[in-house]
Amino acid sequence: MKTNKVRNLAMVGMLSAVSFILMFLEFSIPVMPSFIKLDISEIPALIGTFAMGPLEGVLICLLKNLIHLLRTGTGGVGELANFLLGAVFTFVAGVIYKKNRTRKGAMIGSVAGAIAMAAFSFPINYFLTYPFYTNFMPMEAIIEAYQVIVPGVKSLPECLLIFNLPFTFCKGLLDVILTFPVYKRLSPIIKGTQNQ
């Protein structure tokens, strides 16, 4: 039991470090304003969730963002939002997978996690992220960045519903698609069962 706890702690640390590195592999996509970036840093947390449990997945999200605070450009607000969204994603996926430990259970859990993350992105962006952005950019300028893509949007809630919510869901699905082929190979190493 003690060996398992030590192994889990080591794996959480390793996956958090990989997740932190993946945060820097971010890029803009044409259908979103340039200040919104896509990254795949939730993949290690999702792998950890399936291999060890939902709490470990949340812990990986937390540690990744705590490390990223050393290089923050958002005063911690971006990291807090990233943690909350990643935690919702991995926790929901992990809880569902824990009840049905099959490939189908993992898939259902992952998609449910992506849906939950997308749903939570609305209040997190509306009450946390964008109020912080307005310290550097007026709300009118933020909405104008969205209007370059779809001229008809007129308010922040519209922007979040039309752009951010589907973007966050697609980001979650991309994490899921990339996690599945990797997880099967890494799972025995993480669990320490590769030689059994």
Side-chain angles (χ1 to χ4, degrees), residues 62-195:
L62 176 63
L63 291 175
K64 164 191 79 170
N65 282 288
L66 287 176
I67 299 166
H68 199 266
L69 282 173
L70 300 171
R71 301 181 56 90
T72 187
T74 66
V77 173
E79 287 77 14
L80 177 59
N82 186 286
F83 163 67
L84 292 172
L85 291 175
V88 167
F89 179 37
T90 55
F91 187 78
V92 170
V95 166
I96 292 172
Y97 178 66
K98 201 171 181 181
K99 293 179 179 178
N100 182 10
R101 290 184 171 274
T102 63
R103 185 175 175 82
K104 185 179 177 183
M107 185 61 74
I108 291 169
S110 298
V111 172
I115 292 168
M117 179 170 68
F120 271 83
S121 74
F122 186 94
I124 289 169
N125 280 314
Y126 188 78
F127 293 110
L128 180 68
T129 310
Y130 283 87
F132 173 78
Y133 282 164
T134 57
N135 291 316
F136 308 98
M137 180 187 268
M139 185 58 72
E140 295 78 17
I142 291 170
I143 293 169
E144 280 172 15
Y146 287 99
Q147 288 172 335
V148 168
I149 304 159
V150 176
V153 294
K154 293 181 172 59
S155 66
L156 181 60
E158 273 186 278
C159 295
L160 297 179
L161 282 172
I162 294 169
F163 292 95
N164 293 58
L165 201 145
F167 169 81
T168 305
F169 177 66
C170 291
K171 178 186 182 306
L173 288 185
L174 178 62
D175 289 332
V176 172
I177 290 164
L178 295 174
T179 296
F180 271 73
V182 177
Y183 174 72
K184 191 160 187 172
R185 293 178 183 178
L186 291 181
S187 174
I189 299 167
I190 296 169
K191 293 177 181 177
T193 58
Q194 70 269 35
N195 297 319

